[in-house]
Amino acid sequence: MGGFAMKGKLTVKIPEARGLADDADAYLRVYVVEDKLIGSEDRLAIKCKAEKNTGNPQWGLEETKGLRGDDYLTIKVVVKNKSWGPDKALGSVEFSCEELIEKNSMGGTFPLEEGGEIDITIEYEPGSAGLFGEFESTSDSD
């Protein structure tokens, strides 16, 4: 398998996005992508409800999850829009777990494929996941 061992705390901070379509009902999903025997699997780690009818959603997301696994590939943030049909993706940003382990923190402002940009900071603190425990994949529905 080609993933990386991560045991510790993952903190995701996504305060806002800018420049989306004015009628967007934008929401977030954060996945931990794991290497599997055949391909990879996206496991939903964090979700954030939609900000309705705004091109500049203010999510104010800051959430910490425990990680305890040996085959993590990337952390993927996906921005979706409920108002454009069946949850159309506005764009995504992926962070390499290998690079996150080396740097412990990554972030910036990132462009989205369908226009606009998003501010993201991802932090990894190696060690015990402590009281956060291992994250459990959660349902993708709100």
Side-chain angles (χ1 to χ4, degrees), residues 12-125:
V12 177
K13 300 175 185 177
I14 306 174
E16 64 183 347
R18 292 173 298 286
L20 308 180
D22 288 338
D23 64 344
D25 291 346
Y27 65 98
L28 298 169
R29 296 294 184 258
V30 179
Y31 300 91
V32 177
V33 180
E34 292 183 278
D35 190 25
K36 295 295 181 186
L37 190 56
I38 300 175
S40 62
E41 176 184 348
D42 295 0
R43 290 184 60 202
L44 182 63
I46 299 169
K47 60 184 180 177
C48 188
K49 291 190 182 223
E51 286 282 314
K52 299 198 184 272
N53 294 312
T54 180
N56 301 301
Q58 304 290 311
W59 294 295
L61 176 72
E62 183 170 340
E63 194 164 331
T64 300
K65 294 287 184 176
L67 295 178
R68 218 177 298 153
D70 295 319
D71 291 310
Y72 295 123
L73 295 171
T74 63
I75 308 299
K76 180 167 58 173
V77 176
V78 180
V79 180
K80 293 187 175 185
N81 184 1
K82 284 188 171 192
S83 67
W84 290 0
D87 299 332
K88 169 127 173 74
L90 297 175
S92 64
V93 179
E94 288 196 56
F95 298 88
S96 158
C97 288
E98 179 180 27
E99 193 174 348
L100 185 57
I101 291 166
E102 291 171 10
K103 295 181 176 179
N104 291 329
S105 181
M106 298 170 70
T109 300
F110 302 91
L112 297 169
E113 289 89 341
E114 296 293 325
E117 60 188 19
I118 185 169
D119 296 332
I120 304 171
T121 302
I122 306 283
E123 299 170 346
Y124 172 64
E125 183 183 334

